[in-house]
Amino acid sequence: MTQKINDLRDRMIVALDVPTIWDAYRIVSQLGDEASFYKIGYALAFAGGLQLTQQLVAEGKKVFLDLKLHDIGNTVTEGVASLSNLGVDLLTVHAYPQTMRGAVEGRGEAALKLLAVTALTSYDDGDLRDAGYGLAVRDLVRLRAEQARTTGIDGIVCSAAETEIVRDIVGNDMLIVTPGIRPAGSAVGDQKRTLTPGEAIRAGVDHLVIGRPIIRAADPRAAAASIMDEIAAAS
Ligand SMILES: O=c1ccn([C@@H]2O[C@H](COP(=O)(O)O)[C@@H](O)[C@H]2O)c(=O)[nH]1
């Protein structure tokens, strides 16, 4: 683990991948104090989720805005500058050098932490080949972590399976944030590079991003509590 995370609950970030803010409110209220950190991605951000961020922040929750920004540097700078007043804790951009530099410039002195997405956890080597890359996943993650380290980016998004590679490059001053987390026995879905919550914590991940295993569970609160138990036992 890197920077001290005071509240163990903050290690688990629940992905609110639901179509409406009413669905999101229902999950947040079901989870109650079992979850303290929420991620808002495409589904919700484009359906009123940016307003929801302010509500969550006002209620003392932490918010990760997973917009994975990627554009010419100037546009990224302006986009990040607009978002940096929302009071959210984390924001993603793709780990391209121009994009990362633009994001750091746009963030300026704001408290917002910027995360660079290296290689999506639903990708394997074949998917990268199909997308025109000549690198294996691990080599692309390594290259992008090296590039992120020198840009002023605060953390890396990768699979927990790459924690050792990334930690060797970025040291203890940058966050490692990992989607693709699956409790033993839960459906993998479209994720290809997965680890269990316990494995991820033992590997040295800072924050685990977990969506469907919680939000699609018959009892989301019980699912989150069980994952938190696994995180606590491995910490
Ligand atoms: O490489 C990445 C980057 C982001 N994500 C996001 O994390 C969650 C994972 O949800 P699950 O339901 O637990 O699979 C989702 O919002 C993705 O957009 C990722 O999976 N991989």
Side-chain angles (χ1 to χ4, degrees):
M1 195 166 71
T2 56
Q3 294 120 328
K4 205 162 177 300
I5 300 173
N6 291 322
D7 186 344
L8 193 65
R9 291 177 314 159
D10 288 349
R11 311 270 316 256
M12 178 179 78
I13 302 180
V14 178
L16 287 172
D17 290 330
V18 289
T20 72
I21 56 171
W22 311 115
D23 293 312
Y25 276 129
R26 183 177 43 77
I27 289 169
V28 171
S29 98
Q30 280 174 333
L31 293 182
D33 56 10
E34 206 59 63
S36 57
F37 215 141
Y38 288 97
K39 182 174 91 70
I40 293 178
Y42 289 176
L44 204 51
F46 299 145
L50 295 185
Q51 283 70 39
L52 179 69
T53 62
Q54 284 162 313
Q55 176 80 29
L56 290 173
V57 170
E59 288 174 15
K61 304 294 187 190
K62 294 193 163 60
V63 178
F64 169 9
L65 205 46
D66 186 17
L67 297 183
K68 300 184 190 72
L69 300 182
H70 184 43
D71 206 314
I72 62 169
N74 180 63
T75 301
V76 173
T77 300
E78 291 175 351
V80 172
S82 294
L83 292 166
S84 58
N85 297 321
L86 285 177
V88 303
D89 298 272
L90 303 173
L91 171 71
T92 42
V93 301
H94 277 286
Y96 286 72
Q98 278 188 18
T99 302
M100 293 189 285
R101 285 194 295 272
V104 169
E105 189 182 335
R107 182 261 311 274
E109 299 303 313
L112 173 67
K113 287 188 175 150
L114 296 167
L115 304 177
V117 179
T118 53
L120 294 168
T121 52
S122 61
Y123 281 33
D124 60 16
D125 292 347
D127 294 308
L128 280 188
R129 215 168 25 250
D130 289 348
Y133 288 88
L135 290 175
V137 165
R138 291 186 150 237
D139 296 325
L140 183 62
V141 169
R142 187 178 289 110
L143 171 69
R144 292 188 161 168
E146 279 162 0
Q147 292 170 330
R149 188 175 59 83
T150 55
T151 55
I153 288 283
D154 303 288
I156 299 294
V157 176
C158 58
S159 161
E162 289 118 33
T163 307
E164 194 181 342
I165 297 175
V166 172
R167 190 65 79 198
D168 276 353
I169 295 166
V170 304
N172 286 326
D173 291 335
M174 286 173 68
L175 294 169
I176 298 181
V177 179
T178 62
I181 300 296
R182 288 292 181 268
S186 70
V188 169
D190 54 354
Q191 298 285 6
K192 291 191 178 149
R193 303 188 340 267
T194 64
L195 250 59
T196 67
E199 287 168 341
I201 291 290
R202 283 189 292 277
V205 165
D206 295 293
H207 297 283
L208 282 55
V209 175
I210 309 174
R212 287 163 286 186
I214 294 175
I215 65 169
R216 294 204 186 160
D219 182 344
R221 187 177 173 96
S226 159
I227 290 168
M228 274 314 304
D229 287 348
E230 191 174 335
I231 290 173
S235 296

